[in-house]
Amino acid sequence: MKEKMATKNRGDQQSSRSVISPKWTFLLCISSFCAGLLFTNRMWTVSDSKLITRPTGLEYEGLKLVSEGCDLRKLQMKNVKRDSKQIFGEVSKTHQAIQTLDKTISSLEMELAAARSIQESIVNGSPISQDETTSAPERRKYLMVVGVNTAFSSRKRRDSVRATWMPQGDKRKKLEEEKGIIMRFVIGHSATVGGILDRAIEAEDRKHGDFLRLDHVEGYLELSAKTKTYFATAVTMWDAEFYIKVDDDVHVNIATLGHTLVRHRKKKRVYIGCMKSGPVLAQKGVRYHEPEHWKFGESGNKYFRHATGQLYAISKDLATYISLNQHVLHKYANEDVSLGSWFIGLDVEHIDDRRLCCGTPPDCEWKAQAGNICVASFDWTCSGICRSVDRIKEVHKRCGEGENAVLSATF
């Protein structure tokens, strides 16, 4: 029995050995090892993926740019540039609005100054024209005031102007009433008030009634001060669109001047003339010497652009500006330079019109025959018509616009 059991056990062991061979055992071990290794790597991958978060917003954009070969610094620079453009646009709009407001305020200030000047002239007893007294408190409106600059010694020049381009008597009054054109010889007083020179002008004024007397002492070196006083006085006496200064040795076509000015009547601050930029003369003893030449830079420099002094026109706002600020406006040796300097820092439109500085015949005559009548004619070599007393009638005959041109004109 025991032998049978032993025999059976050995048989079972032999059969079990025959079921799992060493070869299969080795393969089973290898498979188990590979399966364990695969499972371990899978667990690490899942664990790492859980630790990674999805980038959002700017981080995602930054990563995207990095992948494209850029960096966050470039992104920030783009944002700064975009913001700078928007800020610059807003600043530009604000600046334009401020400029518009400044111009409006400037216009209001000049209108207020004009009203204040009228009030002060009434209170102080300054001369007021008859037109003002009859039309007060509403002032008569004029087109232009033409001030002919003259001197005590220029009686013959004044008579030659009266005989040519300045209407006299009833014609001059009709010109004022119907066309709104005021024309006056402009002169101050002598150093000895009430002396023989002043009495001579008073007698001449009683005869012709065509003077504007200034509170100013006459003198060649005082032309800048005279110009300033003229505009300040004229804008107080007459409410005009334009104020003109012309020398008494220049020929003027008044109707052509009026037609020229009305083209610019919608402009608030306009300065019209033959613009030039001559040299600053530092040498003493020469004509037009500039004592303050050092203000204009090195030797050989030129002046800023300004209208030549024979004839120029300014709008009402500029005349009011001179009246309001006359006590602080600097005077240079040459009056045309002084006037130009008063406007150089303002918002003023400079109009360069060469018809205001034609030459004497044959220059102005050729232009008149071509239908381009000159506003003013003179000789540059003389800064006026050379020997104007003798020649202005010839200039008027050959270059004038016609006797009735101004009375028939419509402005």
Side-chain angles (χ1 to χ4, degrees):
M1 191 65 180
K2 291 181 180 179
E3 292 179 357
K4 289 181 180 181
M5 290 293 294
T7 302
K8 185 177 180 180
N9 290 337
R10 285 194 297 269
D12 292 338
Q13 291 176 353
Q14 291 178 354
S15 80
S16 62
R17 289 175 183 173
S18 63
V19 172
I20 301 175
S21 65
K23 182 178 181 179
W24 283 104
T25 301
F26 177 76
L27 290 175
L28 182 60
C29 290
I30 293 299
S31 299
S32 298
F33 175 78
C34 291
L37 182 62
L38 179 63
F39 178 76
T40 302
N41 289 338
R42 177 61 180 172
M43 290 298 294
W44 275 107
T45 302
V46 173
S47 177
D48 290 341
S49 66
K50 289 181 180 180
L51 293 174
I52 298 175
T53 57
R54 292 178 62 87
T56 59
L58 185 62
E59 294 178 357
Y60 178 79
E61 187 174 357
L63 291 174
K64 182 179 179 181
L65 289 175
V66 171
S67 67
E68 294 175 355
C70 301
D71 57 19
L72 288 175
R73 183 176 299 176
K74 291 183 179 181
L75 175 64
Q76 292 173 353
M77 290 299 295
K78 287 184 178 180
N79 291 334
V80 169
K81 289 181 179 179
R82 183 171 61 249
D83 293 341
S84 298
K85 288 181 179 179
Q86 294 176 352
I87 294 172
F88 181 78
E90 294 297 327
V91 170
S92 178
K93 292 179 180 178
T94 304
H95 181 66
Q96 292 175 358
I98 291 174
Q99 285 184 327
T100 303
L101 183 60
D102 284 343
K103 291 180 180 180
T104 303
I105 293 174
S106 177
S107 298
L108 292 175
E109 286 178 345
M110 289 185 176
E111 292 177 5
L112 179 61
R116 187 181 298 136
S117 298
I118 297 170
Q119 183 180 11
E120 290 177 355
S121 65
I122 295 174
V123 173
N124 298 330
S126 299
I128 302 294
S129 66
Q130 293 181 355
D131 291 326
E132 255 88 50
T133 58
T134 56
S135 62
E138 191 172 323
R139 301 179 76 194
R140 164 74 191 274
K141 302 291 185 180
Y142 295 94
L143 171 62
M144 60 181 175
V145 175
V146 181
V148 184
N149 186 43
T150 192
F152 289 115
S153 60
S154 299
R155 173 63 187 265
K156 291 183 178 180
R157 283 188 181 182
R158 291 191 293 274
D159 286 340
S160 68
V161 170
R162 292 183 180 115
T164 53
W165 58 268
M166 179 188 283
Q168 292 298 296
D170 293 337
K171 288 185 178 180
R172 184 171 57 81
K173 293 180 180 179
K174 187 177 181 180
L175 195 64
E176 295 179 6
E177 295 172 359
E178 296 184 3
K179 306 301 178 181
I181 299 176
I182 303 292
M183 303 178 70
R184 297 288 190 274
F185 287 106
V186 180
I187 195 168
H189 57 80
S190 64
T192 305
V193 180
I196 187 172
L197 295 176
D198 292 316
R199 292 199 301 269
I201 293 296
E202 291 169 1
E204 189 178 346
D205 192 23
R206 284 194 296 270
K207 180 179 179 179
H208 297 283
D210 55 3
F211 277 92
L212 171 60
R213 301 299 302 275
L214 302 177
D215 184 13
H216 166 78
V217 178
E218 285 290 323
Y220 179 76
L221 298 178
E222 297 298 327
L223 290 178
S224 294
K226 183 177 181 179
T227 300
K228 187 197 306 185
T229 305
Y230 159 62
F231 284 118
T233 304
V235 77
T236 301
M237 294 183 64
W238 298 288
D239 182 10
E241 296 181 65
F242 298 96
Y243 298 84
I244 297 92
K245 178 262 176 181
V246 58
D247 290 338
D248 60 4
D249 56 352
V250 173
H251 180 268
V252 181
N253 286 316
I254 295 297
T256 306
L257 174 61
H259 289 307
T260 301
L261 295 179
V262 295
R263 298 174 184 173
H264 309 289
R265 70 192 328 167
K266 293 183 179 180
K267 301 172 182 177
K268 298 291 291 182
R269 290 172 292 276
V270 63
Y271 174 34
I272 307 171
C274 290
M275 300 296 166
K276 65 176 184 177
S277 178
V280 181
L281 301 180
Q283 183 180 355
K284 293 183 178 180
V286 300
R287 193 180 185 185
Y288 306 127
H289 165 63
E290 179 58 73
E292 297 181 273
H293 56 86
W294 60 273
K295 289 185 178 180
F296 298 92
E298 301 300 327
S299 177
N301 281 2
K302 292 185 177 182
Y303 289 112
F304 41 77
R305 289 285 174 182
H306 61 279
T308 185
Q310 285 80 6
L311 185 149
Y312 47 73
I314 62 175
S315 58
K316 176 184 175 181
D317 278 6
L318 295 183
T320 304
Y321 172 81
I322 293 174
S323 177
L324 181 63
N325 299 282
Q326 56 181 311
H327 59 291
V328 295
L329 295 178
H330 186 69
K331 301 184 296 294
Y332 290 100
N334 303 300
E335 57 96 8
D336 52 355
V337 172
S338 296
L339 185 75
S341 70
W342 301 338
F343 302 149
I344 198 68
L346 303 181
D347 184 15
V348 175
E349 182 173 354
H350 290 55
I351 304 296
D352 183 20
D353 194 331
R354 311 314 290 185
R355 291 178 302 166
L356 275 67
C357 55
C358 295
T360 55
D363 179 46
C364 58
E365 186 177 19
W366 291 340
K367 292 177 181 177
Q369 292 174 354
N372 188 24
I373 299 176
C374 294
V375 173
S377 300
F378 58 89
D379 300 308
W380 283 103
T381 55
C382 299
S383 298
I385 299 176
C386 298
R387 296 178 288 106
S388 64
V389 174
D390 300 325
R391 296 184 58 235
I392 194 169
K393 289 184 178 180
E394 177 192 358
V395 176
H396 183 67
K397 181 180 179 180
R398 297 172 64 178
C399 301
E401 58 194 355
E403 297 298 328
N404 298 319
V406 64
L407 293 176
S408 61
T410 302
F411 302 112

